[in-house]
Structure formats: structure tokens, C-alpha cells
């Protein structure tokens, strides 16, 4: 049976993923909610569950984990939907859930949450067709309350007009949002506390989490050097060679490209790093497309911590703040895209044309998105989007269903005469 939300935690803020969870609870036997530590996975699973098994509960000397290791079925008992938190600490739970779903294919039985992907071979079956994987990220501006959500992305893509909404976000407020990030535990905290929490998060990743993924000890100094390189190069197509040079400067030169790739893979398995792939439309054009992905940490607050920056220094460095704001809005687009069954890409070609984000929808339609810190940059962003539209249509490909400029400070939500839609960051919602 489906849950009645009897375990909803006090103070729970509704998340964009909630209706997606409901949708799949009504369609499949099990769901796996996966994402970085601290983003709210446990509370979201409890919001939909009628019972829970905490694998990592330290009570009784981690008795729950020991019991599950001795008898996997111990983790499966409970009223459905039954949540199993941090299942990856006993990887066999995955196969046990998959077997239970096979044996009894009724829907809405299990909710798994995990902060890392187990090593290859730790689970015997992918779970395809039995367990649906859902990605969760830190809170969007809409979820944390910094955006009114007055301009709905899904409504806009359904053809609804954009109602004028003036931006109310000041530069100081925008910087605070970037520095604090979308971590539920940081909401309402002073800036210095939020910064300390983000710094301790990176320290934990470097010192403990990376080595716990597969039990192989890694050099924390090199992991931290990589995290700082990713922070400095957030929202860019930085090469592995450039990252390698950054690490060599900070922690010694003995990290080869293959090992660096493995480190990046570990950070992806911890959901700490986002890889935004390059969009490769079937342009019938001689222009060569760049295939390198963009890299960013899962939340801009981690990039601020990795750069050892501050609110005051960011206000003096608008270029850096612009990259961090792009990462912030890309994070939000990734969250909203899941609800729309869309994919987020970036576009760059050898002609110098670069678009911050491309959303592709299941029906093949696409949306171009530019992210700009201030309203005075809107004309430039609109020109970029129109160039890409013209390039696509000239080659016989479809025009975008929408061209959007997301603005940090200033401006009014509106559709311009050239068709480009301007949306202040504090107006965007799902």
C-alpha cells in the first residue's frame, strides 16, 4: 500500500522531488533516492514512508548494521512504504530488495537512500526494472524560500505567458545565497557558521569519505587539492591536465591522469561533483563542437569553501561570483529538469559560441539558457541565444521552444520582443 506520510518530520520543507517520488511509488516496487550527504534524503524518504530501518544508527554499537550483515531480511521488515536509510553500508540490501520486488511485484514497497555508490561487484544485480534511481541535490532557491517561484519553468514550457515580476534580490543577498548554499542544515544560519559547515564538509570528503567508498586509502591532501581545483574552475570545461597541474602545485606531482580520473570517479560516486556533458545536436554545419564536459561541485557553497573565499571577497570579484552564480542556477535547473524528465547540457563550439545550459525534453524539444549576474548583461545573453537559434534553424534543425536568461540582480520577469524570456533568479520555480 502507499504511504500516508505518517513519518513526516517536524519542520520538513517540501522538495521538488516529492511529487516525483509519489509518481514512482505508484508505479514500481522500490525507489532509490541518491545524492550527497546532508542534502535531505533521509527526511524526504521519511516524508513518504510508514516505517524505517536506519542502517547507520550507532545505537548498540551499530547493531542495525551488524544485524543486517548477519540477516539481510532484518532490514526489510516494516509497514510499506518502508525506508532503508544508507543501504550502501550493507550492499547486499540492494539485492535483497530487488529479490523481494521480484517475488511480490506490488508497487510502493521500498524507499532506499544512499550517499555513495558501492564498488563495482558489491551488488549482484543492477535493479533495472525493479528499482528506480532518483537523484537528489541540495535545495533550490525555491525550496529554501529565496525564490517566490512566480515563474514556473514547467508552465513556461507548456506555453503559459510570463507574468511581470520585479527582482527583489540584492547583491548582498545573492552573495549570501551562494555562500550558504542549499543545505537544509545551513538555512537561517549566520554566514560564518554556514561557511564553516561547508569547509568541514570538504574536509570530511577528503579525509574520510573518498577512502570509505571502496575501502582503499587515498591521500587526503591530493583529494583536497583536486576539490580546490574544481572549486577554482567551477562551471568551466577545465581539462584533466589543468587539474593535474593544480594538484601538483598544492600536493606534489605524483598523481597521473589515470589516477586523477579515478579520483574524479570517486567524487562522482559520492555525488559531490557534477559533470555537465556537452550538447551534440545533429548540426549539418562545418562548425566543430567541443565535447569536454563542464565540471562543478554539487553546491556553490562548496566551491566558495574550496577557494577559501568569503562574502566580502566575492563582492570584489564579480567574475568569480558570476561563475558561482552560474553553478547555483545550473544546480536548480538540474533539480527542475528531473521533474520535467529533461536533461541538462552545455553548448560550446569552435566559432566562439557558448551557451551556459541546454535543456532537452523527451519529445526532442530544446531550451537555451544563459545565466547572467546583472540585468545590464541581458542584451548580450539574448544575442548569444539568438545566434544559437539561427545556427540551428539554418542547418535545418528545430528552433528552441524557449530562450531564457536567468538574472541574479535586477530586472523584471518578461518576454522580450525578440522572444527571449528574462527571469530573475528570485522568481524561478519548478
Amino acid at each position: 500500500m502507499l504511504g500516508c506520510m505518517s513519518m513526516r518530520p517536524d519542520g520538513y520543507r517540501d522538495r521538488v522531488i516529492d511529487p516525483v517520488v509519489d509518481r514512482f511509488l505508484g508505479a514500481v516496487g522500490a525507489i532509490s533516492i541518491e545524492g550527497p550527504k546532508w542534502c535531505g534524503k533521509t527526511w524526504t524518504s521519511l516524508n513518504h514512508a510508514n516505517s524505517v530501518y536506519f542502517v547507520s544508527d550507532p545505537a548498540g554499537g551499530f547493531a542495525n548494521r551488524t544485524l543486517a550483515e548477519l540477516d539481510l531480511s532484518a532490514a526489510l521488515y516494516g509497514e510499506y512504504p518502508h525506508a532503508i536509510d544508507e543501504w550502501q553500508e550493507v550492499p547486499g540490501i540492494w539485492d535483497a530488495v530487488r529479490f523481494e520486488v521480484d517475488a511480490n511485484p506490488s508497487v510502493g514497497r521500498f524507499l532506499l537512500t544512499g550517499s555513495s555508490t558501492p564498488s563495482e561487484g558489491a551488488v549482484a544485480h543492477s535493479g533495472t526494472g525493479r528499482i528506480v534511481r532518483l537523484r537528489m541535490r541540495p535545495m533550490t532557491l525555491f525550496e529554501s524560500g529565496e525564490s517566490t517561484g512566480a515563474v514556473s519553468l514547467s508552465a513556461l514550457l507548456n506555453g503559459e505567458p510570463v507574468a511581470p515580476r520585479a527582482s527583489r534580490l540584492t547583491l548582498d543577498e545573492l552573495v549570501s545565497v551562494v555562500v550558504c548554499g542549499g543545505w537544509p542544515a545551513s538555512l537561517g544560519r549566520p554566514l560564518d557558521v554556514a561557511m564553516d559547515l561547508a569547509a568541514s564538509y570538504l574536509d570530511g570528503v577528503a579525509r574520510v569519505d573518498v577512502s570509505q567508498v571502496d575501502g582503499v586509502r587515498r591521500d587526503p591532501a591530493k583529494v583536497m587539492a583536486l576539490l580546490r581545483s574544481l572549486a577554482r574552475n567551477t562551471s568551466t570545461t577545465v581539462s584533466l591536465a589543468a587539474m593535474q597541474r593544480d594538484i601538483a602545485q598544492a600536493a606534489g606531482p605524483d598523481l597521473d591522469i589515470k589516477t586523477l580520473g579515478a579520483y574524479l570517479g570517486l567524487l562522482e560516486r559520492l555525488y559531490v561533483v557534477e559533470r555537465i556533458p556537452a550538447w551534440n545536436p545533429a548540426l549539418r554545419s562545418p562548425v566543430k563542437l567541443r565535447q569536454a564536459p563542464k565540471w562543478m561541485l554539487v553546491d556553490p557553497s562548496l566551491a566558495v569553501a574550496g577557494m577559501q573565499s568569503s562574502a566580502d571577497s566575492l563582492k570584489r570579484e564579480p567574475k568569480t561570483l558570476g561563475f558561482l552564480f552560474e553553478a547555483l542556477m545550473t544546480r536548480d535547473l538540474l533539480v527542475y529538469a528531473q521533474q520535467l524528465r529533461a536533461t541538462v547540457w552545455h553548448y560550446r563550439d569552435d566559432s566562439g559560441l557558448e551557451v551556459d545550459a541546454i535543456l532537452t525534453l523527451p519529445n526532442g524539444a530544446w531550451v537555451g539558457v544563459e545565466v547572467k549576474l546583472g540585468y545590464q548583461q541581458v542584451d548580450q545573453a539574448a544575442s548569444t541565444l539568438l545566434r544559437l537559434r539561427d545556427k540551428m534553424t539554418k542547418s535545418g534543425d528545430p528552433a528552441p521552444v524557449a530562450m531564457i536568461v536567468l538574472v541574479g540582480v535586477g530586472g523584471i520577469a518578461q518576454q522580450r520582443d525578440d522572444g527571449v524570456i528574462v527571469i530573475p533568479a528570485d522568481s524561478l520555480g519548478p
Side-chain angles (χ1 to χ4, degrees):
M1 68 177 178
L2 294 183
C4 56
M5 299 192 202
S6 60
M7 301 191 72
R8 180 184 175 99
D10 291 339
Y12 180 75
R13 286 174 177 259
D14 290 333
R15 304 296 293 267
V16 173
I17 200 174
D18 282 325
V20 182
V21 172
D22 282 333
R23 185 170 81 216
F24 281 108
L25 279 176
V28 298
I31 297 169
S32 176
I33 302 176
E34 303 167 352
K37 289 182 177 180
W38 223 33
C39 73
K41 300 182 303 298
T42 299
W43 274 35
T44 291
S45 68
L46 292 177
N47 186 45
H48 298 270
N50 286 325
S51 62
V52 63
Y53 191 92
F54 293 107
V55 176
S56 60
D57 186 347
F62 293 92
N64 276 3
R65 185 170 61 202
T66 301
L67 184 59
E69 289 170 341
L70 294 171
D71 180 5
L72 292 170
S73 65
L76 308 184
Y77 294 134
E79 183 180 356
Y80 301 136
H82 176 58
I84 306 174
D85 190 53
E86 299 294 355
W87 68 269
Q88 80 282 351
E89 294 196 12
V90 183
I93 289 174
W94 179 276
D95 291 314
V97 168
R98 190 267 309 168
F99 181 84
E100 282 294 313
V101 171
D102 270 349
N104 178 1
S106 58
V107 300
R109 298 181 67 200
F110 297 102
L111 279 160
L112 307 177
T113 70
S115 299
S116 66
T117 303
S119 302
E120 186 176 349
V123 297
H125 194 283
S126 68
T128 301
R130 286 86 161 179
I131 306 174
V132 169
R133 297 174 182 267
L134 297 179
R135 180 72 177 267
M136 192 167 179
R137 295 175 171 87
M139 286 182 158
T140 64
L141 297 185
F142 174 69
E143 291 168 316
S144 60
E146 278 91 10
S147 170
T148 63
V151 181
S152 162
L153 182 61
S154 58
L156 185 155
L157 297 182
N158 283 328
E160 295 186 20
V162 177
R165 290 289 188 279
S167 171
R168 298 182 181 276
L169 201 62
T170 67
L171 180 61
D172 284 344
E173 289 168 339
L174 178 62
V175 170
S176 295
V177 166
V178 168
V179 170
C180 291
W183 309 106
S186 288
L187 293 183
R189 299 288 190 95
L191 276 181
D192 57 345
V193 174
M195 289 175 63
D196 287 343
L197 289 172
S200 69
Y201 192 109
L202 288 187
D203 185 67
V205 169
R207 291 182 181 276
V208 180
D209 295 347
V210 164
S211 297
Q212 284 186 340
V213 173
D214 57 4
V216 178
R217 180 68 178 165
R218 267 85 188 187
D219 183 347
K222 287 185 168 54
V223 177
M224 182 59 77
L226 172 57
L227 289 167
R228 287 180 175 155
S229 177
L230 289 165
R232 285 192 297 273
N233 294 289
T234 192
S235 302
T236 71
T237 54
V238 59
S239 68
L240 293 183
M243 291 187 222
Q244 187 184 38
R245 288 192 295 271
D246 286 347
I247 296 168
Q249 274 190 321
D254 59 337
L255 195 66
D256 59 36
I257 290 292
K258 182 177 179 181
T259 305
L260 172 58
Y263 274 39
L264 283 169
L266 291 167
L267 293 174
E268 288 187 284
R269 284 168 59 184
L270 288 166
Y271 308 106
V272 172
V273 167
E274 297 274 12
R275 183 199 303 249
I276 310 299
W279 189 44
N280 190 14
L283 283 172
R284 290 173 286 276
S285 164
V287 173
K288 183 179 179 182
L289 299 174
R290 300 286 183 91
Q291 300 300 314
K294 273 188 180 180
W295 294 94
M296 54 181 254
L297 295 169
V298 72
D299 190 86
S301 63
L302 299 183
V304 175
M307 290 186 291
Q308 299 176 304
S309 191
S310 68
D312 288 338
S313 64
L314 287 177
K315 284 186 283 187
R316 296 192 299 268
E317 300 173 20
K319 185 175 181 180
T320 300
L321 180 59
F323 281 121
L324 292 168
F325 177 59
E326 181 184 334
L328 177 82
M329 298 315 298
T330 302
R331 178 202 67 190
D332 286 13
L333 289 174
L334 286 164
V335 173
Y336 301 151
Q338 181 169 248
Q339 186 186 41
L340 297 168
R341 302 179 177 89
T343 304
V344 177
W345 316 76
H346 77 94
Y347 178 90
R348 187 183 183 195
D349 64 35
D350 275 3
S351 75
L353 182 57
E354 184 172 359
V355 174
D356 294 330
I358 302 289
L359 272 67
T360 56
L361 303 169
N363 63 2
W366 66 279
V367 179
V369 182
E370 278 281 273
V371 181
K372 295 299 179 185
L373 193 58
Y375 185 71
Q376 68 276 9
Q377 299 168 295
V378 167
D379 285 344
Q380 175 192 345
S383 175
T384 298
L385 293 169
L386 292 166
R387 280 178 61 197
L388 180 58
R389 180 202 64 185
D390 293 346
K391 178 171 288 189
M392 291 289 291
T393 55
K394 185 177 180 180
S395 68
D397 291 291
V401 294
M403 295 175 290
I404 298 171
V405 181
L406 299 176
V407 183
V409 178
I412 297 174
Q414 60 176 305
Q415 180 162 334
R416 296 165 32 124
D417 292 342
D418 56 14
V420 173
I421 297 166
V422 179
I423 307 176
D426 60 350
S427 295
L428 182 65

mmCIF file of all heavy atoms in Angstrom, residues 311-332:
data_model
loop_
_atom_site.group_PDB
_atom_site.id
_atom_site.type_symbol
_atom_site.label_atom_id
_atom_site.label_comp_id
_atom_site.label_asym_id
_atom_site.label_seq_id
_atom_site.Cartn_x
_atom_site.Cartn_y
_atom_site.Cartn_z
ATOM 1 N N ALA A 311 32.210 36.192 1.647
ATOM 2 C CA ALA A 311 31.207 37.069 1.055
ATOM 3 C C ALA A 311 31.837 38.392 0.612
ATOM 4 O O ALA A 311 31.563 38.903 -0.479
ATOM 5 C CB ALA A 311 30.079 37.320 2.052
ATOM 6 N N ASP A 312 32.693 38.958 1.448
ATOM 7 C CA ASP A 312 33.310 40.238 1.109
ATOM 8 C C ASP A 312 34.201 40.125 -0.128
ATOM 9 O O ASP A 312 34.171 40.983 -1.016
ATOM 10 C CB ASP A 312 34.129 40.765 2.286
ATOM 11 C CG ASP A 312 33.250 41.246 3.431
ATOM 12 O OD1 ASP A 312 32.067 41.559 3.174
ATOM 13 O OD2 ASP A 312 33.729 41.294 4.580
ATOM 14 N N SER A 313 35.006 39.047 -0.203
ATOM 15 C CA SER A 313 35.906 38.916 -1.352
ATOM 16 C C SER A 313 35.132 38.662 -2.636
ATOM 17 O O SER A 313 35.528 39.136 -3.710
ATOM 18 C CB SER A 313 36.926 37.803 -1.111
ATOM 19 O OG SER A 313 36.293 36.544 -1.014
ATOM 20 N N LEU A 314 34.017 37.943 -2.548
ATOM 21 C CA LEU A 314 33.224 37.680 -3.751
ATOM 22 C C LEU A 314 32.628 38.962 -4.321
ATOM 23 O O LEU A 314 32.517 39.116 -5.533
ATOM 24 C CB LEU A 314 32.115 36.673 -3.451
ATOM 25 C CG LEU A 314 32.554 35.221 -3.255
ATOM 26 C CD1 LEU A 314 31.371 34.351 -2.887
ATOM 27 C CD2 LEU A 314 33.248 34.687 -4.509
ATOM 28 N N LYS A 315 32.250 39.880 -3.444
ATOM 29 C CA LYS A 315 31.701 41.156 -3.928
ATOM 30 C C LYS A 315 32.759 41.979 -4.649
ATOM 31 O O LYS A 315 32.432 42.826 -5.476
ATOM 32 C CB LYS A 315 31.095 41.936 -2.766
ATOM 33 C CG LYS A 315 29.741 41.387 -2.318
ATOM 34 C CD LYS A 315 29.086 42.239 -1.266
ATOM 35 C CE LYS A 315 29.701 42.030 0.101
ATOM 36 N NZ LYS A 315 28.947 42.744 1.159
ATOM 37 N N ARG A 316 34.032 41.705 -4.352
ATOM 38 C CA ARG A 316 35.117 42.409 -5.038
ATOM 39 C C ARG A 316 35.576 41.684 -6.295
ATOM 40 O O ARG A 316 36.414 42.204 -7.041
ATOM 41 C CB ARG A 316 36.313 42.571 -4.085
ATOM 42 C CG ARG A 316 36.036 43.443 -2.875
ATOM 43 C CD ARG A 316 37.328 43.790 -2.150
ATOM 44 N NE ARG A 316 38.017 42.611 -1.655
ATOM 45 C CZ ARG A 316 37.858 42.083 -0.437
ATOM 46 N NH1 ARG A 316 37.007 42.663 0.414
ATOM 47 N NH2 ARG A 316 38.540 41.022 -0.068
ATOM 48 N N GLU A 317 35.039 40.465 -6.516
ATOM 49 C CA GLU A 317 35.458 39.653 -7.661
ATOM 50 C C GLU A 317 34.235 39.222 -8.466
ATOM 51 O O GLU A 317 33.777 38.086 -8.396
ATOM 52 C CB GLU A 317 36.222 38.417 -7.184
ATOM 53 C CG GLU A 317 37.484 38.738 -6.390
ATOM 54 C CD GLU A 317 38.119 37.502 -5.792
ATOM 55 O OE1 GLU A 317 37.836 36.380 -6.275
ATOM 56 O OE2 GLU A 317 38.891 37.639 -4.830
ATOM 57 N N PRO A 318 33.646 40.141 -9.237
ATOM 58 C CA PRO A 318 32.401 39.823 -9.950
ATOM 59 C C PRO A 318 32.537 38.675 -10.940
ATOM 60 O O PRO A 318 31.572 37.939 -11.164
ATOM 61 C CB PRO A 318 32.044 41.139 -10.640
ATOM 62 C CG PRO A 318 33.303 41.936 -10.657
ATOM 63 C CD PRO A 318 34.070 41.531 -9.445
ATOM 64 N N LYS A 319 33.714 38.513 -11.529
ATOM 65 C CA LYS A 319 33.872 37.407 -12.477
ATOM 66 C C LYS A 319 33.741 36.065 -11.775
ATOM 67 O O LYS A 319 33.033 35.161 -12.249
ATOM 68 C CB LYS A 319 35.226 37.505 -13.184
ATOM 69 C CG LYS A 319 35.421 36.453 -14.268
ATOM 70 C CD LYS A 319 36.728 36.670 -15.032
ATOM 71 C CE LYS A 319 36.898 35.619 -16.129
ATOM 72 N NZ LYS A 319 38.163 35.818 -16.875
ATOM 73 N N THR A 320 34.410 35.928 -10.626
ATOM 74 C CA THR A 320 34.289 34.688 -9.842
ATOM 75 C C THR A 320 32.862 34.488 -9.365
ATOM 76 O O THR A 320 32.310 33.387 -9.438
ATOM 77 C CB THR A 320 35.247 34.734 -8.637
ATOM 78 O OG1 THR A 320 36.593 34.857 -9.096
ATOM 79 C CG2 THR A 320 35.120 33.472 -7.797
ATOM 80 N N LEU A 321 32.242 35.561 -8.874
ATOM 81 C CA LEU A 321 30.858 35.471 -8.425
ATOM 82 C C LEU A 321 29.942 35.049 -9.567
ATOM 83 O O LEU A 321 28.996 34.270 -9.372
ATOM 84 C CB LEU A 321 30.410 36.811 -7.846
ATOM 85 C CG LEU A 321 28.975 36.875 -7.318
ATOM 86 C CD1 LEU A 321 28.732 35.852 -6.222
ATOM 87 C CD2 LEU A 321 28.667 38.290 -6.802
ATOM 88 N N GLY A 322 30.235 35.512 -10.775
ATOM 89 C CA GLY A 322 29.427 35.126 -11.930
ATOM 90 C C GLY A 322 29.485 33.629 -12.198
ATOM 91 O O GLY A 322 28.458 32.998 -12.480
ATOM 92 N N PHE A 323 30.673 33.040 -12.115
ATOM 93 C CA PHE A 323 30.797 31.593 -12.305
ATOM 94 C C PHE A 323 30.047 30.830 -11.205
ATOM 95 O O PHE A 323 29.402 29.797 -11.463
ATOM 96 C CB PHE A 323 32.260 31.176 -12.320
ATOM 97 C CG PHE A 323 32.955 31.438 -13.626
ATOM 98 C CD1 PHE A 323 34.072 32.268 -13.680
ATOM 99 C CD2 PHE A 323 32.516 30.857 -14.793
ATOM 100 C CE1 PHE A 323 34.723 32.516 -14.884
ATOM 101 C CE2 PHE A 323 33.150 31.091 -16.012
ATOM 102 C CZ PHE A 323 34.257 31.933 -16.051
ATOM 103 N N LEU A 324 30.141 31.324 -9.970
ATOM 104 C CA LEU A 324 29.448 30.664 -8.858
ATOM 105 C C LEU A 324 27.930 30.786 -9.013
ATOM 106 O O LEU A 324 27.184 29.842 -8.710
ATOM 107 C CB LEU A 324 29.898 31.262 -7.531
ATOM 108 C CG LEU A 324 31.346 30.968 -7.133
ATOM 109 C CD1 LEU A 324 31.762 31.839 -5.956
ATOM 110 C CD2 LEU A 324 31.524 29.497 -6.796
ATOM 111 N N PHE A 325 27.473 31.947 -9.496
ATOM 112 C CA PHE A 325 26.042 32.113 -9.728
ATOM 113 C C PHE A 325 25.571 31.180 -10.841
ATOM 114 O O PHE A 325 24.481 30.595 -10.760
ATOM 115 C CB PHE A 325 25.725 33.562 -10.071
ATOM 116 C CG PHE A 325 24.276 33.801 -10.399
ATOM 117 C CD1 PHE A 325 23.283 33.503 -9.484
ATOM 118 C CD2 PHE A 325 23.908 34.309 -11.641
ATOM 119 C CE1 PHE A 325 21.939 33.706 -9.789
ATOM 120 C CE2 PHE A 325 22.583 34.522 -11.950
ATOM 121 C CZ PHE A 325 21.592 34.219 -11.031
ATOM 122 N N GLU A 326 26.390 31.014 -11.859
ATOM 123 C CA GLU A 326 26.046 30.050 -12.918
ATOM 124 C C GLU A 326 25.915 28.645 -12.338
ATOM 125 O O GLU A 326 24.991 27.888 -12.684
ATOM 126 C CB GLU A 326 27.097 30.061 -14.023
ATOM 127 C CG GLU A 326 26.788 29.092 -15.157
ATOM 128 C CD GLU A 326 27.869 29.031 -16.214
ATOM 129 O OE1 GLU A 326 28.614 30.025 -16.381
ATOM 130 O OE2 GLU A 326 27.982 27.977 -16.875
ATOM 131 N N ALA A 327 26.845 28.271 -11.443
ATOM 132 C CA ALA A 327 26.765 26.953 -10.807
ATOM 133 C C ALA A 327 25.492 26.823 -9.970
ATOM 134 O O ALA A 327 24.845 25.772 -9.950
ATOM 135 C CB ALA A 327 27.999 26.719 -9.935
ATOM 136 N N LEU A 328 25.127 27.906 -9.282
ATOM 137 C CA LEU A 328 23.909 27.908 -8.477
ATOM 138 C C LEU A 328 22.684 27.646 -9.342
ATOM 139 O O LEU A 328 21.832 26.795 -9.027
ATOM 140 C CB LEU A 328 23.780 29.262 -7.767
ATOM 141 C CG LEU A 328 22.521 29.492 -6.933
ATOM 142 C CD1 LEU A 328 22.670 28.852 -5.571
ATOM 143 C CD2 LEU A 328 22.256 30.993 -6.781
ATOM 144 N N MET A 329 22.579 28.370 -10.457
ATOM 145 C CA MET A 329 21.404 28.217 -11.308
ATOM 146 C C MET A 329 21.423 26.892 -12.062
ATOM 147 O O MET A 329 20.364 26.312 -12.336
ATOM 148 C CB MET A 329 21.308 29.393 -12.283
ATOM 149 C CG MET A 329 21.143 30.755 -11.613
ATOM 150 S SD MET A 329 19.910 30.782 -10.270
ATOM 151 C CE MET A 329 18.412 30.357 -11.140
ATOM 152 N N THR A 330 22.614 26.391 -12.399
ATOM 153 C CA THR A 330 22.693 25.063 -13.020
ATOM 154 C C THR A 330 22.195 24.003 -12.050
ATOM 155 O O THR A 330 21.485 23.070 -12.437
ATOM 156 C CB THR A 330 24.129 24.758 -13.457
ATOM 157 O OG1 THR A 330 24.579 25.767 -14.364
ATOM 158 C CG2 THR A 330 24.212 23.400 -14.144
ATOM 159 N N ARG A 331 22.574 24.146 -10.766
ATOM 160 C CA ARG A 331 22.055 23.226 -9.740
ATOM 161 C C ARG A 331 20.534 23.226 -9.739
ATOM 162 O O ARG A 331 19.889 22.165 -9.731
ATOM 163 C CB ARG A 331 22.574 23.657 -8.361
ATOM 164 C CG ARG A 331 22.082 22.819 -7.189
ATOM 165 C CD ARG A 331 22.176 23.594 -5.873
ATOM 166 N NE ARG A 331 21.239 24.719 -5.848
ATOM 167 C CZ ARG A 331 21.242 25.670 -4.912
ATOM 168 N NH1 ARG A 331 22.172 25.652 -3.956
ATOM 169 N NH2 ARG A 331 20.341 26.643 -4.938
ATOM 170 N N ASP A 332 19.928 24.413 -9.761
ATOM 171 C CA ASP A 332 18.473 24.491 -9.737
ATOM 172 C C ASP A 332 17.863 23.900 -10.998
ATOM 173 O O ASP A 332 16.841 23.194 -10.950
ATOM 174 C CB ASP A 332 18.031 25.946 -9.561
ATOM 175 C CG ASP A 332 18.254 26.455 -8.139
ATOM 176 O OD1 ASP A 332 18.966 25.777 -7.364
ATOM 177 O OD2 ASP A 332 17.725 27.530 -7.808
#
